Amino acid sequence: MATGVDRSEKLFAQQRLAALRSRLDSAAAAWSVADFEKLIRCYVRILPLVFGCERCTIFVVEPGSLDIYSMFGTGIEERQIKPPKEGSIAGRVISLGQGVVDNELAARPGYHTQVSETVGFASRNTACAPIIGHTSGRAVGAVQLLNKQDAPFAGDDLALLEEIAHHLAMAVESIVLNQEIRQLSSQLDREVAALTGGLPAGGLFIAESPAMREILELVRLVSQTPVNVLIVGENGTGKELIARLIHAGGDRADKPFVAVNCAAIPEHLMESEFFGYEKGAFTGADRARKGRFEEAEGGTLLLDEIGDMPMAMQPKFLRAIQEGEGSRLGSNRLIKYDFRIISATNKDLVREREGGRFRDDLYFRLFSVQISVPPLRRRREDIAPLALAFLDATCRRFDKKVAGFSPEVLHLFEEYRWPGNVRQLRSEVERLVALTPEGTPILPERCSRELLDIVPRLDGEEESPDFSIPARVRHLETRLIRDALARTNGHRQQAADLLGITRQGLHKKMKRYGIEEE
């Protein structure tokens, strides 16, 4: 039977073991990729001294492409040397996974002679060992020594170099894996950008409805060609998000995306806004400034609210995009433009043309493909997913937790017409999160007056004499309870499940509102 002393000793040993493990984890976490790079640089400096040779180079295999390049080396910059797999000593060592000693380099041509001409260093002899990855079991690189001074390289030199390469493997593999992780991360970022339109945090695009799925397919098609696009739709439907999707899905994704609201620029400033100006071009021009055309170089220029562009500006704009060139105000020097144009408007440009408010030639020059975005009221399948996504984003931004929407609120959302479209829905969700206490569900009485105004209509009433929020909530809850009971043939538990409340809660509400089982 263990004594109290035995138990104390065991407890002390366990505590000490836990402390040592914690220190070991901390030490491992503190060793970064930068530390591994410093270690390899140290090897590059020390190995020529150990072997009595002139140079040392560490080669690695690039993730994905499988190309070989010099990571660090004596007297060379990173990635300066890229030996081929065939015809180079480093390539042969990495391909075969076996070390090589060659003391007759000067007597025969090869890739080393090309490098000698490039870096101005003649190679006479070499020892090269593969760096075998501990996790992969294959060569992830090679360490090469050049020009032993007092004697040729021998088998003992190669054996020692292979032992050193074994210890180098951990550092090299850590760096290579980190590069591969960064490449995959960058690829995933690009794929996510293609799905979210390269949007900043909070940018969101939901496509549950058939109409929006068709638009996403159109976006996919037009992204792959440099065709100019016109996006039409009511305010707040997400036209700019679609433009960003098109930009992010094309070959200009890594170039600028410049969005300009034509309705927000005063007419007398529009020319300087698009073309830019030189210092002294007009009073107040104390420095030169690029125009939007120049800022969008190589990328995409979004002309939002293009239907509001003044007639006086349209001929100048037409010439700039037709000729692909223009001049800053105060200068005669022509500047070449290269950008893709995506236009957006909430107006009917055909009617604007017919009314003489938009030039025919500019209309036909601006776009070849039109994308029409339906208002939110015509794609109700998107309302609930959008609301839930906005709720999640808003809670994270406000650093606040609420217990989700009540079923009544989601029903209100789906029945409301949303004249402000997605923008109004986002604003409503932000308002509800701000007004809902921490940890509680979002209830209909906290909705804005615009949403609660539809409650009497949901009950089939033309008007209600009582505009109070409690009365509107009573109307809504009564209708929902009756609908749930009707769908379940009066089964209270099933009706409660549909409503997202308990059976007791349903009973209390029925009693409160005087609802009889039907």
Side-chain angles (χ1 to χ4, degrees):
M1 184 174 181
T3 65
V5 174
D6 292 335
R7 286 195 295 270
S8 297
E9 289 177 351
K10 288 181 179 179
L11 180 61
F12 174 76
Q14 290 172 351
Q15 290 174 341
R16 187 169 180 213
L17 179 60
L20 288 172
R21 282 175 174 166
S22 176
R23 289 172 59 190
L24 180 61
D25 291 341
S26 299
W31 195 257
S32 66
V33 171
D35 295 315
F36 284 122
E37 291 180 351
K38 290 178 182 177
L39 177 63
I40 293 177
R41 290 179 186 273
C42 182
Y43 271 98
V44 169
R45 290 196 305 271
I46 291 174
L47 289 183
L49 300 176
V50 172
F51 287 88
C53 61
E54 295 182 8
R55 295 201 172 194
C56 172
T57 304
I58 307 290
F59 295 96
V60 297
V61 179
E62 188 170 32
S65 70
L66 301 182
D67 292 335
I68 302 169
Y69 67 89
S70 56
M71 178 183 286
F72 302 110
T74 309
I76 61 172
E77 297 178 0
E78 295 178 38
R79 293 180 177 267
Q80 183 175 346
I81 300 176
K82 294 184 177 180
K85 278 193 172 182
E86 302 292 335
S88 71
I89 293 171
R92 182 172 54 154
V93 167
I94 291 173
S95 297
L96 299 177
Q98 297 177 355
V100 166
V101 168
D102 191 334
N103 290 301
E104 303 295 334
L105 288 181
R108 62 174 160 270
Y111 178 73
H112 57 279
T113 58
Q114 300 176 28
V115 175
S116 298
E117 294 173 359
T118 302
V119 300
F121 174 80
S123 301
R124 300 187 307 274
N125 52 32
T126 185
C128 186
I131 300 174
I132 307 296
H134 293 301
T135 59
S136 63
R138 55 182 173 79
V140 295
V143 52
Q144 184 176 24
L145 305 176
L146 289 173
N147 294 358
K148 190 169 182 180
Q149 296 169 331
D150 298 333
F153 283 108
D156 291 344
D157 294 320
L158 181 60
L160 178 58
L161 187 61
E162 287 174 340
E163 183 178 351
I164 292 171
H166 175 77
H167 297 298
L168 266 175
M170 180 65 75
V172 171
E173 196 168 27
S174 296
I175 295 172
V176 171
L177 286 173
N178 180 69
Q179 291 173 345
E180 193 165 2
I181 288 171
R182 284 188 294 181
Q183 286 181 3
L184 286 173
S185 176
S186 177
Q187 178 182 339
L188 287 173
D189 286 344
R190 289 193 298 270
E191 291 177 359
V192 170
L195 293 174
T196 62
L199 303 176
L204 185 66
F205 192 88
I206 298 291
E208 291 289 334
S209 63
M212 295 309 291
R213 289 180 181 177
E214 288 181 11
I215 286 177
L216 279 184
E217 178 61 18
L218 264 178
V219 166
R220 185 186 67 81
L221 292 173
V222 301
S223 296
Q224 299 168 2
T225 57
V227 63
N228 290 340
V229 179
L230 173 67
I231 306 171
V232 298
E234 294 180 5
N235 286 333
T237 50
K239 297 188 292 294
E240 181 173 340
L241 302 192
I242 292 173
R244 289 181 179 274
L245 277 171
I246 294 170
H247 171 74
D251 57 3
R252 297 174 180 258
D254 58 342
K255 301 298 182 181
F257 179 90
V258 178
V260 186
N261 188 333
C262 298
I265 306 172
E267 183 173 352
H268 68 282
L269 295 179
M270 190 160 281
E271 187 172 359
S272 62
E273 183 72 19
F274 279 106
F275 291 92
Y277 52 82
E278 297 291 348
K279 182 178 180 180
F282 50 83
T283 303
D286 55 353
R287 59 183 177 83
R289 180 188 177 281
K290 286 184 178 181
R292 297 295 193 172
F293 291 151
E294 289 182 72
E295 290 176 357
E297 178 64 25
T300 300
L301 178 66
L302 170 62
L303 302 170
D304 201 6
E305 305 301 346
I306 186 66
D308 293 302
M309 178 174 286
M311 283 294 291
M313 182 64 187
Q314 291 181 27
K316 300 175 183 178
F317 196 91
L318 173 64
R319 185 183 182 283
I321 62 175
Q322 190 165 284
E323 302 299 328
E325 62 184 22
S327 301
R328 294 182 185 179
L329 295 183
S331 172
N332 293 323
R333 182 175 66 89
L334 284 178
I335 300 172
K336 293 291 184 180
Y337 304 136
D338 174 27
F339 50 77
R340 178 183 195 167
I341 294 178
I342 300 178
S343 307
T345 182
N346 63 350
K347 293 185 175 182
D348 185 340
L349 287 189
V350 174
R351 289 187 179 180
E352 295 297 302
R353 286 170 48 214
E354 292 172 350
R357 295 179 294 276
F358 203 88
R359 293 174 60 103
D360 285 349
D361 47 8
L362 180 57
Y363 175 86
F364 291 113
R365 185 66 185 175
L366 272 179
F367 70 96
S368 300
V369 175
Q370 177 173 311
I371 296 177
S372 298
V373 188
L376 193 54
R377 61 184 174 274
R378 294 183 187 168
R379 46 186 175 106
R380 296 190 182 279
E381 301 95 328
D382 295 329
I383 293 175
L386 276 168
L388 292 170
F390 288 144
L391 177 64
D392 179 65
T394 303
C395 286
R396 282 188 278 107
R397 186 155 52 90
F398 289 2
D399 193 20
K400 184 177 183 179
K401 293 182 179 179
V402 298
F405 297 107
S406 68
E408 297 89 343
V409 170
L410 287 177
H411 183 74
L412 267 178
F413 282 178
E414 290 179 340
E415 293 297 326
Y416 185 59
R417 289 183 60 79
W418 299 107
N421 293 293
V422 179
R423 188 178 296 134
Q424 183 186 5
L425 175 59
R426 184 201 295 267
S427 176
E428 182 71 19
V429 172
E430 291 177 347
R431 178 183 180 279
L432 288 169
V433 173
L435 296 179
T436 300
E438 185 90 13
T440 62
I442 296 175
L443 301 174
E445 53 261 35
R446 300 191 184 278
C447 290
S448 60
R449 174 67 66 180
E450 292 83 0
L451 268 74
L452 291 175
D453 278 345
I454 72 169
V455 174
R457 296 196 296 275
L458 295 180
D459 275 344
E461 300 177 11
E462 291 298 324
E463 293 183 5
S464 173
D466 192 344
F467 286 93
S468 66
I469 288 178
R472 298 297 176 94
V473 173
R474 177 175 58 81
H475 276 291
L476 176 62
E477 291 192 341
T478 299
R479 178 186 181 278
L480 290 173
I481 291 170
R482 285 175 174 163
D483 284 350
L485 288 169
R487 289 188 186 186
T488 60
N489 295 319
H491 194 292
R492 291 196 180 188
Q493 184 59 60
Q494 292 178 7
D497 292 341
L498 282 177
L499 294 167
I501 58 178
T502 64
R503 190 177 186 278
Q504 292 79 7
L506 174 61
H507 177 72
K508 289 179 180 178
K509 288 180 183 291
M510 290 176 65
K511 185 176 180 180
R512 183 190 311 156
Y513 299 142
I515 300 173
E516 299 292 335
E517 291 188 26
E518 300 175 2

